[in-house]
Amino acid sequence: MDEQDTLTIRINDREYQVNGSPTRPLVDYIREELQLTGTKIGCGSGECGACTVILDGKPVNSCLIPVASAAGKEIQTIEGLRETEDYQALAEAMVETGGVQCGFCTPGIMATLYAWKQQPDLYEGSVKKALKNNLCRCTGYQSIVQAAEKVVNGEER
Ligand code: FES
Ligand code: FES
């Protein structure tokens, strides 16, 4: 594909025609063209998970995905998850446990946990594996782990 070609990507159940560079990072397109700014940019290099979106059911770092690679796939951003029951349950649990402080990491973590909730086998039941690509500088993780275990694994602590 060259720069003149148009490709179609599907985000939150809507289709968009993408013009311009096929190598543009998906996170830039989502934030700058669609104004879906719930997805954050932390490191820009696959280290922090702030840019996590769900692509064909799996959490991915959208800073590492060229828009051309997202063509023909189903993408969900945090904005597309917010009205779902599972998201609401996760959000409530995160508030209850104190899993949200500055909130910068939260959309990425919510996207990861939401995907895990839809596919319980994704991380072999391990909250540590689930969260290993999402950095949080504020909480020390325990509160996030508690929220995840409550909603995804159905465990009360
Ligand atoms: S911004 Fe993508 S992993 Fe940090
Ligand atoms: S709540 Fe601040 S980085 Fe996680």
Side-chain angles (χ1 to χ4, degrees):
M1 176 178 170
D2 61 32
E3 301 230 348
Q4 285 77 40
D5 291 335
T6 298
L7 56 86
T8 302
I9 62 173
R10 195 168 164 80
I11 299 178
N12 299 335
D13 296 324
R14 287 186 57 185
E15 286 193 351
Y16 299 92
Q17 305 302 313
V18 182
N19 298 301
S21 173
T23 60
R24 183 179 189 182
L26 178 60
V27 69
D28 287 353
Y29 179 78
I30 287 170
R31 287 178 53 85
E32 291 167 18
E33 304 301 326
L34 305 185
Q35 307 296 311
L36 297 173
T37 54
T39 302
K40 306 301 182 200
I41 302 176
C43 63
S45 58
E47 303 290 333
C48 74
C51 64
T52 304
V53 300
I54 302 174
L55 187 140
D56 282 352
K58 297 213 172 105
V60 295
N61 292 327
S62 59
C63 68
L64 297 181
I65 309 265
V67 280
S69 297
K73 300 189 172 149
E74 288 288 336
I75 298 151
Q76 291 167 289
T77 71
I78 202 71
E79 290 85 355
L81 306 179
R82 280 192 177 129
E83 302 307 317
T84 65
E85 273 183 28
D86 285 341
Y87 180 94
Q88 302 281 342
L90 280 165
E92 273 173 33
M94 289 278 274
V95 169
E96 270 171 30
T97 62
V100 181
Q101 289 187 23
C102 83
F104 191 79
C105 69
T106 308
I109 286 175
M110 293 292 282
T112 296
L113 295 181
Y114 181 90
W116 188 24
K117 175 77 174 158
Q118 311 317 300
Q119 297 186 63
D121 294 340
L122 208 50
Y123 301 108
E124 299 159 7
S126 164
V127 71
K128 281 194 183 154
K129 283 186 186 167
L131 292 172
K132 79 176 170 32
N133 292 323
N134 291 94
L135 298 186
C136 175
R137 289 180 300 176
C138 304
T139 64
Y141 291 97
Q142 195 50 39
S143 50
I144 298 170
V145 167
Q146 283 174 348
E149 287 183 336
K150 180 175 179 187
V151 175
V152 183
N153 280 341
E155 294 171 17
E156 292 280 357
R157 292 265 157 142

